[in-house]
Amino acid sequence: MLRALPAVDKVLLEPSVELICETIPRARCVRWIRQSIDTLRERLVDGGTGLSSVSDPSGLLKAVVAEVESKAAAEKLRSFRPVINGTGTLLHTNLGRAPLAKRAVQAMQQASGFTNVEMDLDAGDRSRRGQRLSELVCELTGAEDAVVVNNCAGATVLVLQAIAQGRDVIISRGQLVEIGGGFRLPNVFQAAGVQLCEVGTTNRTYVHDYEQATSDTTAAWIRVHRSNFVQKGFVAEPTITELVRAKRPKDIAVIDDIGSGWIGAPNSSGIFADEPSVIPSVESGADLCLFSGDKLFGGPQAGIVVGRRCWIERLRKSPMMRAMRPDKVTLAGLEATVELHLEGKLGELPFFQMLECELGELQDAAEAVKNQLSDTPHLVVSVGACQSTIGGGSMPTVEIPSVCIEVSVPSSERFAHQLRVGSPSVVGRQVATGLRIDMRTVLADQRDQLANALKAAVAAI
Ligand SMILES: *Cc1c(COP(=O)(O)O)cnc(C)c1O
């Protein structure tokens, strides 16, 4: 029986394996074949449990080929591929948060070769990386100066380390948050070598708590936006303006970690009414204000720090800055996104397109998909109402009315799996009545692909 196991070379000559070897490194393919043969050998030695159907040479060869094929298919799914987001979460962190505007994508493409990331082409000299981006961010936010790093978590570490290492930073007990993915503020303070000085209580903190806790070793006061949860009831905490105006020595910085990156007008109406915004934070005189590029700002992943020049200069001089600087492609994408904000063209940012899409348009899109599926057997499609959420750890209580298609098939989980592994992948949400696809988060230029993806998934179960 062991002699019936195929040789590696023989497996490599199989047409489907040869095809696979054209698109993946041959050495990896050989490794998979060896592993598969070794497993079969062990099972044969074990008495051939479960191998009755493959116990002749051609059966064993087929089993190895099938395993290589399935590994190749699994590998393909793991490389980056487009996904249709039917989850109803606009900034789905697992799906890459904000989809980028066309202008940002073009700018990133242009910057991907040689580009003037650190060269002043007019003067022919070296220039500062991100100089124009900083200027545009200042124009947008009204800040004196700005720096950009890889993400807001990085910005938090940079700020704490550059201005408070070896000293303490005062924070309200109600703001010691876990942002997600295990990113907990107390740990960040520790990693940055900064002593955490908690004041107030979970539900109530006052300005005098900060004033009274301030000592010679205090470097800063920080306010952190509770982005991903809310406190209600008997709660109080100072506004950023109150913190800025409070009694404190001049060399103590007030830091505002806004996170979610809402840039709109203060006290905007509707869903953004309770969201802290960058512009009022800068106006209030906060020394440093931090926010993410890929949440409500609608750009690529980045951490943007704006504020007073003296503090931003300290960040720029920090050795951490060099370790956290974004690459040219990100800088180009962010620059294009900032330009769109400056030009008031929010409608070109996919995040706002999703957010502001009218129910009527979503209804029409859902009906169109339903109609295309009307003659597909074993598939019951209905159009209904649902609620989208913002996601990305932002605005946890906000629900936006939306329209979904609900697909019910005999085997809903297998159907959902086939949708995920199809091309393009579609991710929906499992509900009691079937699989739900929220049309608000399906990007307009992906709507046409949805019906075909659904048909292919039904056919595959
Ligand atoms: C999201 C968030 C962060 C982390 O931002 P990333 O860009 O994801 O690193 C930090 N602080 C607050 C308040 C946030 O909401």
Side-chain angles (χ1 to χ4, degrees):
M1 275 299 293
L2 290 177
R3 259 183 251 128
L5 284 168
V8 172
D9 288 344
K10 186 147 187 230
V11 182
L12 283 168
L13 288 175
E14 285 294 303
S16 71
V17 177
E18 277 190 323
L19 210 65
I20 287 167
C21 284
E22 280 174 20
T23 56
I24 66 161
R26 195 180 164 83
R28 190 188 307 156
C29 199
V30 169
R31 197 166 67 234
W32 289 344
I33 295 170
R34 289 225 167 89
Q35 280 167 356
S36 172
I37 295 173
D38 288 348
T39 316
L40 284 176
R41 181 179 297 113
E42 279 165 27
R43 286 166 71 187
L44 287 172
V45 169
D46 259 7
T49 27
L51 285 180
S52 52
S53 59
V54 294
S55 56
D56 60 278
S58 81
L60 288 168
L61 177 64
K62 273 200 194 115
V64 175
V65 171
E67 185 156 345
V68 170
E69 285 171 355
S70 106
K71 282 195 166 148
E75 186 71 25
K76 222 178 185 169
L77 278 175
R78 292 178 61 218
S79 57
F80 282 107
R81 61 200 335 252
V83 173
I84 295 183
N85 175 10
T87 62
T89 303
L90 275 69
L91 301 170
H92 200 297
T93 298
N94 303 150
L95 298 179
R97 288 200 186 150
L100 299 176
K102 287 209 174 65
R103 195 197 287 190
V105 174
Q106 278 162 7
M108 291 167 100
Q109 173 123 33
Q110 265 177 19
S112 61
F114 287 128
T115 189
N116 53 331
V117 61
E118 279 182 27
M119 186 181 278
D120 176 338
L121 293 173
D122 188 29
D125 293 345
R126 183 168 179 183
S127 70
R128 194 159 76 194
R129 174 181 282 251
Q131 171 77 38
R132 174 161 189 266
L133 175 57
S134 288
E135 286 168 17
L136 293 178
V137 168
C138 291
E139 193 179 339
L140 180 65
T141 60
E144 285 174 15
D145 205 350
V147 287
V148 176
V149 292
N150 288 320
N151 52 34
C152 192
T156 312
V157 175
L158 173 70
V159 165
L160 287 174
Q161 196 169 55
I163 75 172
Q165 193 167 39
R167 300 174 67 193
D168 39 75
V169 171
I170 299 177
I171 183 169
S172 160
R173 287 199 166 87
Q175 297 173 2
L176 281 172
V177 301
E178 173 172 320
I179 288 154
F183 187 81
R184 296 174 142 192
L185 272 181
N187 301 348
V188 175
F189 273 70
Q190 201 175 23
V194 171
Q195 190 73 36
L196 180 83
C197 177
E198 301 172 31
V199 296
T201 60
T202 304
N203 58 328
R204 289 179 83 86
T205 305
Y206 306 97
V207 170
H208 62 75
D209 291 322
Y210 293 78
E211 290 170 345
Q212 281 165 13
T214 299
S215 70
D216 296 349
T217 56
T218 307
W221 297 355
I222 189 168
R223 176 186 82 150
V224 178
H225 175 37
R226 275 186 295 274
S227 310
N228 51 15
F229 72 104
V230 291
Q231 278 194 333
K232 267 190 165 162
F234 190 57
V235 294
E237 61 187 16
T239 63
I240 196 71
T241 309
E242 286 164 343
L243 286 183
V244 169
R245 290 192 184 149
K247 275 203 305 298
R248 66 188 153 103
K250 275 216 153 53
D251 61 342
I252 290 183
V254 174
I255 305 164
D256 195 8
D257 179 2
I258 284 181
S260 44
W262 173 234
I263 196 93
N267 306 319
S268 319
S269 59
I271 59 169
F272 294 110
D274 296 329
E275 220 22 52
S277 171
V278 179
I279 293 171
S281 171
V282 170
E283 265 171 10
S284 76
D287 293 297
L288 292 167
C289 172
L290 288 55
F291 60 101
S292 285
D294 58 353
K295 294 184 184 172
L296 306 178
F297 197 67
Q301 180 190 300
I304 303 164
V305 190
V306 299
R308 293 193 190 284
R309 177 148 305 131
C310 59
W311 295 108
I312 296 284
E313 271 305 328
R314 277 175 67 172
L315 304 186
R316 212 172 258 131
K317 287 193 185 119
S318 155
M320 290 299 280
M321 183 62 216
R322 172 62 199 248
M324 290 183 179
R325 68 181 198 186
D327 78 308
K328 59 185 179 178
V329 174
T330 302
L331 291 172
L334 189 60
E335 202 171 282
T337 308
V338 176
E339 283 172 354
L340 289 173
H341 277 276
L342 278 167
E343 292 165 23
K345 294 181 182 153
L346 295 189
E348 289 186 33
L349 294 167
F351 169 65
F352 289 96
Q353 287 166 359
M354 289 189 281
L355 188 68
E356 268 149 28
C357 193
E358 301 282 347
L359 282 175
E361 184 181 334
L362 297 175
Q363 183 80 27
D364 291 347
E367 299 285 356
V369 175
K370 185 184 164 187
N371 290 340
Q372 288 174 69
L373 296 170
S374 59
D375 51 3
T376 312
H378 314 299
L379 194 68
V380 183
V381 184
S382 60
V383 172
C386 67
Q387 304 283 330
S388 313
T389 56
I390 301 290
S394 310
M395 306 171 70
T397 57
V398 168
E399 288 193 327
I400 308 148
S402 185
V403 179
C404 63
I405 50 175
E406 236 167 63
V407 186
S408 102
V409 283
S411 163
S412 198
E413 295 213 346
R414 277 190 24 227
F415 176 62
H417 176 257
Q418 284 305 330
L419 270 179
R420 289 197 308 275
V421 303
S423 240
S425 292
V426 180
V427 182
R429 211 175 272 290
Q430 207 74 249
V431 293
T433 40
L435 188 81
R436 178 179 282 177
I437 294 167
D438 184 336
M439 293 307 292
R440 186 176 291 286
T441 51
V442 175
L443 299 176
D445 59 4
Q446 290 181 321
R447 285 177 193 156
D448 286 345
Q449 302 169 50
L450 194 53
N452 281 339
L454 290 165
K455 273 186 203 166
V458 183
I461 53 174

